[in-house]
């Protein structure tokens, strides 16, 4: 394992006041996003969209890395440069989504397991050549009164840990993403209980696989009320429950906790991240963002698939990135939404 390079990658990813842009939507997911603006999901449109995002001037002020999809890491901009090299030129680290999505855990089960181990070491050789220095693997957990099951928690943890070990051996930094979904009417307390159990299992499995905790990044959900819960916890409550949960489960050796947005509104995701960082400066970890929808939604809308709106799309992305950068320092204020 090339520890020096992995250390440099982790340091760059978790630089203070910066976070990750998750732009690794699979073809199915990006189609859903494009449907919302009435745009056909063709390879060219997907390339144009990612080119718009990555050529945003000043993106590097608040974005340290971008997670790419297999198709995207192979694409080039109009000027012939690869999209990955455009990011590198700004000092932004390219990364790759390496899992291949989820499948039912068993026939008829609503629980999911993540696919993607086939040929993964070989794929990493190519991704590394294409510029990727970190990877992402996502496991998902649904909350009901009975779920997630103990078996689902165990198998997903083992998958995440095996992926993390292979990734470090291949010279890339693993982002370990256990996502407890927001869907459902569960309370904040129930989300905290499930997230705690999930993280305990994940770190136990990482220890079994001998994963170097200093050389990985955790990408978890925040502890938050279910979307349909009649009582929605505010930012302060979310921050307290989230920090309590991580203090109980995440070893201090992990350098960065970079949250997914998971369906939170863009402003809500910034407010919650800010509240977490405003609680106290005395955490062993950097609390930052690795947002997909919460960074991209306003940019996608402003762009609308039209060449003449590229600048407007980039302004929207730049604004959200800077506001989330401020939230990483606990310096975000609501009035900045108007001023930015
Ligand atoms: P969201 O921030 O939209 O949840 O996306 C992050 C991500 O990478 C999910 O895997």
């Amino acid at each position: 394992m090339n520890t020096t390079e992995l250390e440099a990658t982790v340091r760059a990813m978790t630089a203070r006041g910066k976070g990750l842009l998750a732009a690794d939507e699979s073809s199915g997911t990006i189609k859903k996003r494009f449907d919302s603006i009435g745009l056909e999901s063709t390879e060219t449109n997907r390339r144009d969209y990612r080119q718009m995002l990555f050529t945003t001037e000043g993106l590097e002020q608040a974005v340290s890395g971008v997670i790419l999809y297999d198709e995207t890491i192979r694409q080039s901009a109009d000027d012939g440069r690869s999209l990955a090299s455009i990011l590198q030129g700004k000092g932004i680290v390219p990364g790759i989504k390496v899992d291949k999505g989820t499948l039912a855990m068993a026939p008829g089960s609503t629980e999911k397991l993540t696919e993607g181990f086939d040929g993964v070491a070989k794929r990493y050789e190519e991704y590394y050549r294409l510029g990727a220095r970190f990877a992402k693997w996502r496991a998902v957990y649904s909350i009901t009164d009975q779920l997630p099951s103990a078996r689902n928690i165990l198998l997903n943890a083992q998958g995440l840990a095996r992926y993390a070990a292979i990734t470090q051996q291949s010279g890339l930094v693993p982002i370990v993403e256990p996502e407890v979904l927001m869907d459902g009417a569960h309370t904040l307390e129930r989300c905290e209980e499930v997230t705690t159990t999930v993280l305990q299992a994940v770190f136990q499995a990482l220890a079994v696989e001998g994963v170097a905790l200093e050389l990985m990044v955790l990408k978890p959900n925040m502890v938050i009320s279910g979307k349909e819960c009649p009582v929605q916890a505010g930012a302060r409550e979310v921050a307290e429950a989230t920090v309590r949960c991580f203090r109980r489960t995440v070893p201090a050796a992990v350098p960065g906790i970079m949250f997914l947005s998971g369906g939170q509104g863009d402003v809500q995701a910034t407010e919650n991240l800010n509240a977490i960082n405003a609680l106290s400066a005395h955490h062993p970890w950097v609390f930052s963002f690795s947002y997909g929808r919460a960074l991209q939604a306003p940019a996608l809308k402003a762009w609308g698939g039209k060449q003449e709106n590229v600048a407007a799309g980039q302004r929207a992305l730049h604004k959200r990135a800077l506001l989330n950068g401020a939230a990483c320092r606990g310096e975000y204020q609501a009035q900045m939404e108007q001023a930015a």
Side-chain angles (χ1 to χ4, degrees):
M1 190 181 349
N2 182 347
T3 308
T4 316
E5 187 181 14
L6 292 177
E7 271 168 9
T9 303
V10 166
R11 215 173 310 118
M13 291 168 75
T14 57
R16 186 133 179 82
K18 296 188 187 186
L20 307 177
L21 166 63
D24 59 325
E25 297 84 2
S26 62
S27 301
T29 305
I30 197 73
K31 183 184 177 313
K32 277 194 248 162
R33 306 281 183 264
F34 280 7
D35 283 348
S36 74
I37 57 165
L39 182 69
E40 198 188 340
S41 181
T42 63
E43 184 177 349
T44 309
N45 285 342
R46 293 192 291 269
R47 196 285 312 255
D48 288 351
Y49 176 57
R50 268 75 181 240
Q51 172 175 269
M52 185 267 294
L53 297 177
F54 304 166
T55 55
T56 297
E57 210 169 307
L59 189 63
E60 69 280 4
Q61 292 159 354
V63 170
S64 58
V66 175
I67 316 174
L68 303 169
Y69 185 57
D70 180 81
E71 177 186 88
T72 319
I73 201 168
R74 302 168 192 284
Q75 285 177 320
S76 296
D78 293 321
D79 63 7
R81 288 181 298 161
S82 73
L83 294 183
S85 70
I86 289 175
L87 296 170
Q88 288 168 324
K90 292 170 177 287
I92 296 176
V93 188
I96 186 76
K97 170 190 172 75
V98 75
D99 70 68
K100 293 194 168 173
T102 56
L103 267 187
M105 186 164 79
S109 168
T110 57
E111 294 198 289
K112 306 255 171 69
L113 290 180
T114 306
E115 300 270 290
F117 284 112
D118 285 359
V120 68
K122 206 89 216 113
R123 286 195 282 140
Y124 274 141
E125 285 174 22
E126 188 189 11
Y127 287 144
Y128 188 94
R129 276 199 306 279
L130 292 168
R133 291 295 177 271
F134 66 89
K136 182 194 106 168
W137 181 285
R138 172 175 177 261
V140 288
Y141 310 83
S142 308
I143 299 186
T144 68
D145 288 346
Q146 287 80 34
L147 302 181
S149 65
R151 182 171 159 74
N152 184 250
I153 290 172
L154 177 69
L155 293 178
N156 270 323
Q158 288 173 341
L160 282 164
R162 183 162 164 238
Y163 139 81
I166 297 170
T167 306
Q168 289 182 341
Q169 285 152 15
S170 304
L172 288 86
V173 169
I175 296 183
V176 173
E177 181 179 2
E179 175 173 5
V180 177
L181 296 169
M182 280 175 77
D183 306 317
H186 55 270
T187 60
L188 178 89
E189 290 73 22
R190 175 80 177 128
C191 180
E192 181 173 353
E193 178 182 69
V194 171
T195 305
T196 300
T197 310
V198 162
L199 290 174
Q200 282 168 340
V202 167
F203 281 97
Q204 198 162 4
L206 289 168
V208 170
E209 287 287 339
V211 172
L213 299 179
E214 292 81 359
L215 302 175
M216 61 161 273
V217 164
L218 182 69
K219 173 167 175 163
N221 52 286
M222 293 178 189
V223 174
I224 200 164
S225 315
K227 250 191 220 149
E228 284 87 46
C229 181
V231 186
Q232 290 290 314
R236 170 91 196 190
E237 226 182 317
V238 166
E240 283 173 354
T242 301
V243 171
R244 182 169 58 231
C245 174
F246 292 115
R247 292 180 74 90
R248 287 174 176 171
T249 55
V250 182
V254 174
I257 295 179
M258 305 180 89
F259 294 104
L260 58 95
S261 59
Q264 296 182 52
D266 50 352
V267 175
Q268 184 193 11
T270 307
E271 280 171 355
N272 285 339
L273 178 61
N274 187 67
I276 288 167
N277 278 302
L279 264 190
S280 150
H282 303 295
H283 308 298
W285 325 280
V286 165
F287 280 124
S288 177
F289 59 93
S290 174
Y291 291 165
R293 283 162 284 181
L295 274 173
Q296 292 184 49
L300 179 67
K301 198 161 162 234
W303 175 59
K306 301 201 172 72
Q307 180 57 31
E308 64 266 29
N309 292 336
V310 164
Q314 292 181 330
R315 269 198 306 278
L317 174 64
H318 190 238
K319 169 180 166 179
R320 280 271 50 91
L322 288 189
L323 293 179
N324 282 304
C328 288
R329 296 185 295 267
E331 291 171 1
Y332 165 82
Q333 287 170 349
Q335 57 269 33
M336 290 160 88
E337 293 289 342
Q338 276 70 47

